[in-house]
Amino acid sequence: MLAICMSIDLVAFMEKKETRKNRRSNLGLLYRMMFRYWHYVLAGLISMILFALFGGVSITVLVPLFDFVFAPQEVAIVHHNPAEIFRALSADISSFIHSQGSLIKLISSGQFGALWETLKETMLVSDSIGLLYLLCIAMVILIVFKNLAYFANRYFFIVLRGRTVKDMRDYMFGRYLNQSLEFFSQNKVGDAIVRMVNDVEIVSNQYINAVFNGLRDISSVLVYMAIALFLNAELFLYSIIIVPLLAFTVGYLGKKIKKYSKRIQSQLSVMFNAVEEVLNSIKIVKAFRREDYEHKEFEKINRKHLKLWQKSQVYAAMSVPFSELNTVLTGVVVVILGGQMIVDPARSFSLGDFTAFLFAVFSMLHPLKVLSQLYADMKKAGVSLDRIALVLNDESDIKDHPDMIEKKSFEREISFENVDFYYKEGAEVIKNLSIKINKGEKVAFVGASGGGKTTVTNLVNRMYDVKSGAIKIDGIDIRRIRLDDLRHLFGVVTQESILFSKSIRDNIAYGAYDEIDDDAIIAAAQIAHAEEFIMEFPMGYEQILDTKGQNLSGGQKQRLCIARAIVGDPPILIFDEATSALDTESEKKVQDAINEATKNRTVIMVAHRLSTILESDRIFVLDKGEVIGQGSHEELLKSCPRYQYLCELQFGISL
């Protein structure tokens, strides 16, 4: 039993180790994108350091303010006005730096104590009012420069974050575009939207914006810590006793926040998918009066998201009171111990020192509070980073071969050699398919739904890759052909008429891989019998289509799709049930367009309606992924019982 438990613990440890390794790799990818703009990173870091230094130095002004202005000493005044005091202090600094050799040596030697004592001696013999004016002017100048540095820091990192997010979304969208159809059959579009919009925004907020804000806070903490240690190291050590208590609490809350953040993002994807599916199917929803049903289903999903979100927010909110309690406890310790040191005549700890020390310590607490919240937020952002990285690191199965071959033309034949294919292992869609399609031949695939007809057309232009066997064009395995060249050989018309919310001209030109002129677009529209309705629009070819081409009929949309398929003059055309969703009149017009478009081209057709493929040179009858008959319409009527049965069903005659 002990061995089993140890084994389970070891597996869990290894999984966590692997997760941390992947997280570091994912962060590396993110920061590589960010460091393309290294000059903004450098400028932001410099302004960050300046912000911390100006903030720290402004606190030291409080020491002479309380020790030499508000509590002036009974000494002979040597420097009577702000100008004299400034010249004297400048001379002290200059001579001290000169004695050290250089400012760099002064910084490295850490002899600030001796310099500070020299400056205090000068201020001791300075006029109180003159010193007050000088200190106020210095304070204003320091605060102005501090805020200029803050603005510069914010500006540089805003630009950095914006450009990195843009690059990340561009990269992700490119990744999605280059995925195979198999990827999209396994991943929902709504989830892709969540990853590109919501997850990228979370990651940019925490790993870019918040990280650099965190660095600014860390630099401020270090400067204030150095000042506090310089003023009274003993009191500072007492004041930080409470800090570890906060660290343990924040670590526990961070784990809880991460757990619920992962669940929230997953539920958000479910919500997006539900909304997308219902709104895309709104016609069916309304036709069957399922509005109330769909609303209730959405409420269930939304309610679950609310519960997860509330729990996450509760844990996040708990970090604030814990931080506040830490601030109060630290303040109490500092005030009690510092007050005792001030009244103790044996200690040289003045009211000015204590006031500056208080400002330094309390100036540290706010950045520390922000840093503790940052830790929790980064735990939450880690979930989004992992989700983004799944896309950023995912290579498409369909990609160019290392030794790819360029092929610009189709010369002889397409051959399927013992091709097997499945979407899920163990459920083959295509089995041992071996056929040839000659150049200039018009072939058709028929059979029952699920027989593998559309899959054949998706394999021939590498929307999917075969699992075994090979598909060759002119004797070359299509997996060796440069992908751009392969796709250029095909024009595709699908059953669903997919159009974009662009002009008619742009929709037709979409099928050309190179720039084409208006004459080519008009010629394609005329061949597809589309110009007759195009010119009825007020703007003709420049008419913008409604979403999904709603301002066109089904037949008009399909004829535009045919024009798009042929505008690039591909040698091979694929028609995947191009007329199955049309009425008889529209089908006749589309069929005329197909007949015109397919002249002098190799054609692969998939059809349920046998009337559209009767004139094909060869017809392949598919059943459960296997060819059970091939030949012309007349030959199949004599030799293939399955084809005879399909004809009987569609034409209503006994053969």
Side-chain angles (χ1 to χ4, degrees), residues 221 224-225 228-229 232-247 326 329-331 333-334 337 357 361 364-365 368:
V221 167
Y224 294 136
M225 184 186 299
L229 285 169
N232 195 316
E234 180 186 357
L235 182 57
F236 178 75
L237 293 176
Y238 283 127
S239 67
I240 63 172
I241 292 174
I242 312 298
V243 173
L245 298 177
L246 178 66
N326 179 73
L329 292 176
T330 303
V333 169
V334 171
L337 296 178
F357 182 90
V361 169
M364 282 174 53
L365 291 178
L368 284 173

Side-chain angles (χ1 to χ4, degrees), residues 404-577:
M404 62 185 178
I405 298 171
E406 291 191 0
K407 184 166 179 57
K408 304 295 184 181
S409 62
F410 174 47
E411 304 296 339
R412 300 188 307 276
E413 65 182 17
I414 303 170
S415 61
F416 289 71
E417 299 178 1
N418 306 114
V419 170
D420 290 328
F421 180 79
Y422 52 81
Y423 295 103
K424 292 183 179 179
E425 195 166 358
E428 289 186 322
V429 179
I430 300 294
K431 303 174 186 176
N432 197 32
L433 180 64
S434 295
I435 60 173
K436 287 186 178 180
I437 302 171
N438 298 314
K439 181 180 180 180
E441 195 173 20
K442 184 177 180 180
V443 302
F445 291 88
V446 300
S449 297
K453 305 184 300 297
T454 297
T455 300
V456 171
T457 64
N458 286 333
L459 290 174
V460 75
N461 61 352
R462 285 196 75 193
M463 294 297 174
Y464 296 91
D465 269 340
V466 299
K467 301 301 181 182
S468 64
I471 300 174
K472 296 180 179 179
I473 294 181
D474 296 336
I476 305 171
D477 192 321
I478 62 173
R479 289 169 292 192
R480 295 289 305 278
I481 299 174
R482 183 170 172 262
L483 196 56
D484 281 351
D485 292 347
L486 177 67
R487 298 278 169 80
H488 288 182
L489 297 177
F490 293 89
V492 180
V493 181
T494 60
Q495 179 180 1
E496 184 183 0
S497 304
I498 300 173
L499 296 170
F500 299 96
S501 301
K502 301 178 180 180
S503 69
I504 291 175
R505 182 194 186 284
D506 289 340
N507 271 281
I508 296 176
Y510 200 85
Y513 297 92
D514 301 315
E515 288 294 327
I516 56 172
D517 56 26
D518 289 341
D519 290 340
I521 292 172
I522 293 171
Q526 289 173 343
I527 292 172
H529 295 190
E531 192 172 45
E532 59 185 64
F533 68 81
I534 293 174
M535 300 313 296
E536 293 177 358
F537 286 106
M539 299 181 67
Y541 283 89
E542 300 304 322
Q543 180 69 40
I544 303 296
L545 297 183
D546 293 346
T547 304
K548 296 185 179 181
Q550 294 297 320
N551 49 340
L552 298 173
S553 69
Q556 290 172 339
K557 287 191 285 186
Q558 200 64 302
R559 279 182 276 170
L560 278 187
C561 291
I562 294 171
R564 179 177 62 198
I566 64 175
V567 73
D569 196 25
I572 307 167
L573 289 178
I574 296 174
F575 292 90
D576 186 2
E577 301 184 28

Side-chain angles (χ1 to χ4, degrees), residues 19-27 207 258 382 385-386:
T19 300
R20 288 195 294 269
K21 181 180 178 182
N22 291 338
R23 182 72 53 76
R24 288 194 296 270
S25 174
N26 298 339
L27 276 174
Y207 284 108
K258 179 182 177 182
L385 179 64
D386 292 342

Side-chain angles (χ1 to χ4, degrees), residues 260-327:
Y260 282 104
S261 295
K262 190 172 184 178
R263 294 179 182 177
I264 287 170
Q265 293 304 101
S266 178
Q267 187 65 16
L268 201 60
S269 293
V270 173
M271 185 187 298
F272 269 65
N273 285 324
V275 172
E276 181 201 17
E277 187 172 43
V278 170
L279 295 184
N280 282 337
S281 309
I282 193 67
K283 187 174 182 180
I284 298 301
V285 173
K286 288 184 173 297
F288 292 96
R289 293 296 293 162
R290 302 293 281 176
E291 292 95 337
D292 289 343
Y293 169 80
E294 294 296 348
H295 192 215
K296 289 176 182 177
E297 289 297 306
F298 178 79
E299 284 181 337
K300 291 178 185 177
I301 297 171
N302 205 16
R303 195 178 303 116
K304 186 174 180 181
H305 177 268
L306 173 63
K307 289 180 180 178
L308 294 171
W309 179 82
Q310 284 177 332
K311 288 183 179 179
S312 173
Q313 292 300 307
V314 166
Y315 283 114
M318 288 173 66
S319 64
V320 176
F322 277 110
S323 298
E324 195 71 28
L325 179 62
N326 179 73
T327 302

Side-chain angles (χ1 to χ4, degrees), residues 162-208:
R163 295 192 179 188
T164 304
V165 169
K166 171 193 166 294
D167 288 352
M168 188 183 300
R169 285 189 173 134
D170 285 345
Y171 189 71
M172 285 185 70
F173 191 60
R175 282 291 193 181
Y176 276 121
L177 290 178
N178 289 315
Q179 294 296 337
S180 66
L181 289 183
E182 190 169 3
F183 174 89
F184 289 102
S185 66
Q186 297 171 358
N187 296 273
K188 296 180 179 179
V189 175
D191 183 63
I193 295 172
V194 172
R195 290 176 196 254
M196 283 192 62
V197 178
N198 197 60
D199 287 323
V200 168
E201 189 67 25
I202 290 173
V203 167
S204 71
N205 276 336
Q206 305 310 325
Y207 284 108
I208 301 175

Side-chain angles (χ1 to χ4, degrees), residues 621 628-630 635-645:
V621 183
I628 60 173
Q630 61 176 295
E635 290 170 344
L636 288 172
L637 285 177
K638 298 175 183 178
S639 63
C640 183
R642 179 64 179 169
Y643 188 76
Q644 294 171 4
Y645 174 69

